[in-house]
Amino acid sequence: MIAKPAWQALLALVLVLAAWLLGPMTVPEADSLANPTASVTFPFVATKPLIYGLLLAAIVLSMTRLSAAARAAILFVGAHGAAWFLLHGIYGFEGTARAPFFLLVAAAWLLAWQCVTLLSSQRPLQRWLDTAYRLLVPAIFGIWILILWEAATRGAGIPFILLPPPTAIGAKLASSIDIIAADVRQTIFKAVIVGYVVGCGAGFAVAILADRVDFLRRGLLPIGNMVSALPIIGVAPIMVIWLGFDWQSKAAVVILMTFFPMLVNTVAGLASTGHMERDLMRTYAAGYWQTLLKLRLPAAAPFIFNALKINSTLALIGAIVAEFFGTPVVGMGFRISAEVGRMNVDMVWAEIAVAAVAGSVFYGAIALIERAVTFWHPSVRGG
Amino acid sequence: MIGNTQTVVQANGLGLTFRTNDGPVVALTDVDLTIKKGEFVSFIGPSGCGKTTFLRVIADLEQPTSGTISINGMTPEQARHARAYGYVFQAAALYPWRTIDRNIALPLEIIGLSKAEQQERIKRTMDLVELSGFEHKYPWQLSGGMQQRASIARALAFDADLLLMDEPFGALDEIVRDHLNQQLLKLWARTQKTICFVTHSIPEAVYLSTRIVVMSPRPGRVTDVIESTLPHERPLDIRETPEFLEIAARVRDGLRAGHSYDD
């Protein structure tokens, strides 16, 4: 009946028992135990047995000979159910948590860890199930970063200004969605997109030119190198002076930042074809453009996509930082600098979260296109 | 200038010296050779004897530094622009982003043939190299032997009268090699092409050729030209006949004479 237990489950069991022995989970609960006549409200009155029950049930069932998928499901429910009640209970009692609270959070975290271990060892035959598992593992990872963050900030009562809990950031995000949407429109849909397209396009075009004309390669590569070494905090105010406060000056900064990676990568990619492949084109008496289109550009595609991926994150950073140096009263960088000044850190974090999500989506979309275009490359097809 | 007497390749006093950082390297010196239409000429010799370089000079991939060479009466550059030859490299050199049929279509796209003509030639040459059914596979999904057959199909689809092959089967195992050698002979008999074939295998050279050019290194030069007395029809077991062994012995002697291991 009992299978070889995982160390995470055993350690979780030890933590749960230690929490039980240490007794009250919060300061008010300890107060009410010390002074039973006073009417003190304290958290976890009703949910305490539930939390212990969920954790213990998950620990015990995870040691049985159930199928790996079933054990993973049990661990998932146990860990996240317990985490939910723990976080829900501490709400309104910030900074009052005692050791048992953190021990129980740690126990739930260990169970989630074991759940992820079980999931990643699964090799389901059905394609959709395999995809679901591969998405589930990073999702659980991300959720636990938020859970631990929330538990630490609310449990230990970390000052709001230092690190607001994720739920407060989420609430701020939801309540200021109009402002944030306007900021995203200004920064991402204007400065980033325009700058990225123009910067990458120019880098690509100049790379083709530099490849065709030797003196351009010798002259342009060092200049491109120099441009990429320019400090953004020096360039951004100059662009504001030249192009004004609106998004155009930010797009110009993004162009400067994205141009060089594209140039260097495309030049390298165009030189990456083998002698034999080029000789082959020569034996066909193929012209320059035919060789470029049918051999050298396809061969350069992995390099070009590398530049597109690097630039997708560079562009976002560039546009946000550039807004620190003069901007109309809208934009993600403007909002961050303004709200920091007013100590509204939850708004700052909300903007950071939106920027992180937008950057990931941008990067992910390009990575997906890359997989479709360079399916033939060993790094994509796997050897 | 009719039928078998037509000259395809004519080299006179051909020489090629590479300029390298370590000083000049003489790759070819004083090569005189005439290749007639419909011949199967093998070039054999140790590494550095210039056999590949000679093929590359014919293909206008290298420029000779002395002497003259003409292909179908043209300079190599004119011949290349007239698409006078198909070239098969040591490796298949298929483009990994194209399926097999698109790889074979590559030279046809460059010449600018119509889609229908392309389809017709792809089908014909894939049948010739027995690769039918693999049209929509990518090169990396095929074995090395199949890849090399696809590259031969690509050279054949080009449909030039001269086929230049640079150790095309060098990287393949013995069994596959025998099979491809047989197929190549059949193909040559059927298409009446002129074939220049570089190899460093004596049995391969003797089995395939009507004429064997023996070369030696430092400097690269022709030391012997051996006319094969074998019949055109050659089953694989012809390699055990005394006649075959006699030619092979002559080739070996030629190689030994031109190559001393003392230096």
Side-chain angles (χ1 to χ4, degrees):
Chain A
M1 190 63 195
I2 301 293
K4 184 174 170 291
W7 67 267
Q8 291 98 333
L10 288 176
L11 187 54
L13 186 60
V14 172
L15 293 180
V16 170
L17 292 178
W20 183 258
L21 289 173
L22 286 170
M25 290 167 69
T26 56
V27 177
E29 189 179 356
D31 289 348
S32 94
L33 279 179
N35 186 6
T37 51
S39 63
V40 184
T41 54
F42 58 87
F44 305 118
V45 183
T47 55
K48 200 169 176 177
L50 207 54
I51 293 167
Y52 278 98
L54 273 168
L55 288 174
L56 286 172
I59 291 169
V60 170
L61 286 173
S62 78
M63 294 182 188
T64 59
R65 290 198 186 281
L66 290 167
S67 74
R71 280 185 291 146
I74 288 163
L75 285 166
F76 183 85
V77 172
H80 295 89
W84 166 259
F85 288 118
L86 281 166
L87 294 181
H88 193 259
I90 201 71
Y91 187 82
F93 294 91
E94 281 81 1
T96 64
R98 297 176 76 243
F101 172 82
F102 294 107
L103 289 175
L104 292 174
V105 170
W109 174 57
L110 281 167
L111 295 182
W113 182 343
Q114 199 195 336
C115 171
V116 169
T117 316
L118 276 172
L119 282 179
S120 20
S121 67
Q122 294 298 292
R123 292 279 170 276
L125 292 174
Q126 298 95 323
R127 211 182 150 78
W128 67 269
L129 209 55
D130 192 46
T131 313
Y133 278 14
R134 268 192 291 148
L135 291 177
L136 201 54
V137 171
I140 293 176
F141 246 93
I143 287 170
W144 271 93
I145 290 176
L146 296 179
I147 290 175
L148 294 177
W149 178 353
E150 180 84 12
T153 47
R154 289 209 190 271
I158 293 174
F160 194 80
I161 188 86
L162 275 187
L163 186 65
T167 45
I169 297 169
K172 187 71 185 179
L173 189 93
S175 65
S176 2
I177 197 77
D178 292 344
I179 298 172
I180 290 173
D183 291 345
V184 166
R185 251 196 312 279
Q186 170 78 8
T187 304
I188 295 182
F189 291 119
K190 288 179 185 163
V192 170
I193 297 280
V194 171
Y196 181 82
V197 169
V198 174
C200 290
F204 180 78
V206 171
I208 301 270
L209 263 177
D211 176 73
R212 186 91 166 107
V213 188
D214 192 48
F215 80 84
L216 279 181
R217 178 169 46 233
R218 294 190 209 178
L220 272 175
L221 281 184
I223 291 176
N225 197 344
M226 201 191 69
V227 168
S228 80
L230 293 177
I232 180 175
I233 54 164
V235 173
I238 293 173
M239 288 301 152
V240 171
I241 296 169
W242 286 357
L243 300 168
F245 281 102
D246 211 353
W247 61 269
Q248 288 87 347
S249 55
K250 283 78 206 167
V253 171
V254 173
I255 290 171
L256 282 179
M257 287 184 82
T258 55
F259 175 79
F260 188 65
M262 191 57 160
L263 173 66
V264 175
N265 274 286
T266 308
V267 166
L270 288 173
S272 73
T273 46
H275 276 293
M276 222 177 260
E277 283 79 6
R278 268 181 285 172
D279 280 348
L280 189 70
M281 285 309 233
R282 195 171 149 82
T283 66
Y284 299 147
Y288 170 81
W289 290 106
Q290 281 175 323
T291 309
L292 186 70
L293 290 176
K294 290 186 194 297
L295 169 63
R296 302 179 65 213
L297 278 182
F303 290 77
I304 294 169
F305 274 102
N306 264 341
L308 288 174
K309 286 195 289 187
I310 294 167
N311 282 347
S312 69
T313 45
L314 269 186
L316 205 56
I317 296 168
I320 290 175
V321 173
E323 284 182 2
F324 276 61
F325 302 93
T327 169
V329 289
V330 64
M332 300 174 80
F334 161 77
R335 193 73 53 204
I336 289 172
S337 64
E339 299 294 330
V340 160
R342 295 153 141 192
M343 300 289 209
N344 285 335
V345 282
D346 49 351
M347 189 62 180
V348 175
W349 280 95
E351 292 279 0
I352 290 173
V354 169
V357 169
S360 306
V361 168
F362 197 0
Y363 184 94
I366 290 164
L368 277 180
I369 300 170
E370 179 189 29
R371 288 186 73 83
V373 173
T374 62
F375 63 91
W376 50 270
H377 196 259
S379 68
V380 177
R381 67 178 152 92
Chain B
M1 299 288 274
I2 311 159
N4 284 337
T5 57
Q6 192 182 328
T7 300
V8 177
V9 179
Q10 175 75 55
N12 295 101
L14 193 74
L16 197 161
T17 305
F18 288 113
R19 310 225 162 274
T20 70
N21 290 334
D22 301 329
V25 172
V26 181
L28 282 176
T29 179
D30 206 22
V31 174
D32 296 300
L33 196 69
T34 306
I35 297 170
K36 301 278 186 195
K37 187 168 165 47
E39 274 194 295
F40 195 127
V41 182
S42 282
F43 296 84
I44 191 166
S47 313
C49 72
K51 51 194 194 297
T52 294
T53 307
F54 184 65
L55 215 61
R56 289 175 65 85
V57 169
I58 299 177
D60 190 35
L61 296 174
E62 308 284 356
Q63 268 63 51
T65 44
S66 63
T68 60
I69 183 162
S70 69
I71 289 96
N72 295 332
M74 293 178 279
T75 66
E77 194 186 353
Q78 288 167 335
R80 180 168 66 84
H81 283 285
R83 278 119 180 179
Y85 65 85
Y87 201 107
V88 180
F89 291 88
Q90 283 172 8
L94 299 164
Y95 293 177
W97 51 86
R98 284 174 171 247
T99 53
I100 294 300
D101 60 343
R102 300 311 301 151
N103 262 291
I104 297 174
L106 175 73
L108 311 178
E109 286 171 14
I110 289 167
I111 316 174
L113 291 184
S114 71
K115 281 267 176 253
E117 174 87 342
Q118 286 184 24
Q119 279 311 316
E120 191 274 318
R121 286 211 199 175
I122 290 165
K123 192 181 170 341
R124 181 157 48 85
T125 50
M126 292 210 43
D127 283 345
L128 270 178
V129 297
E130 295 176 9
L131 266 183
S132 304
F134 293 94
E135 288 86 350
H136 302 306
K137 293 280 183 203
Y138 285 94
W140 29 274
Q141 295 171 320
L142 303 185
S143 68
M146 289 165 105
Q147 289 183 24
Q148 198 52 276
R149 257 146 64 194
S151 88
I152 293 170
R154 183 178 57 189
L156 289 174
F158 205 49
D159 210 22
D161 289 332
L162 175 61
L163 199 54
L164 306 174
M165 305 179 88
D166 181 10
E167 290 187 45
F169 310 138
L172 306 178
D173 68 66
E174 200 71 25
I175 309 281
V176 176
R177 201 173 184 162
D178 280 352
H179 181 63
L180 290 182
N181 279 341
Q182 267 184 302
Q183 280 186 314
L184 182 59
L185 272 187
K186 276 193 206 141
L187 207 115
W188 172 62
R190 221 177 316 168
T191 56
Q192 299 289 305
K193 286 188 191 304
T194 314
I195 299 182
C196 295
F197 190 93
V198 167
T199 179
H200 49 222
S201 155
I202 297 174
E204 190 172 63
V206 178
Y207 177 67
L208 291 172
S209 324
T210 56
R211 208 142 57 100
I212 302 155
V213 177
V214 182
M215 299 181 75
S216 82
R218 284 183 294 265
R221 64 196 185 279
V222 175
T223 49
D224 197 5
V225 178
I226 299 162
E227 295 281 344
S228 176
T229 51
L230 297 175
H232 262 93
E233 193 70 32
R234 298 175 188 181
L236 271 180
D237 50 20
I238 202 171
R239 295 182 298 186
E240 271 94 62
T241 61
E243 205 178 354
F244 184 96
L245 296 173
E246 195 184 308
I247 301 170
R250 238 190 101 186
V251 174
R252 187 168 288 113
D253 287 343
L255 285 174
R256 205 170 286 151
H259 191 304
S260 87
Y261 286 96
D262 301 335
D263 58 344

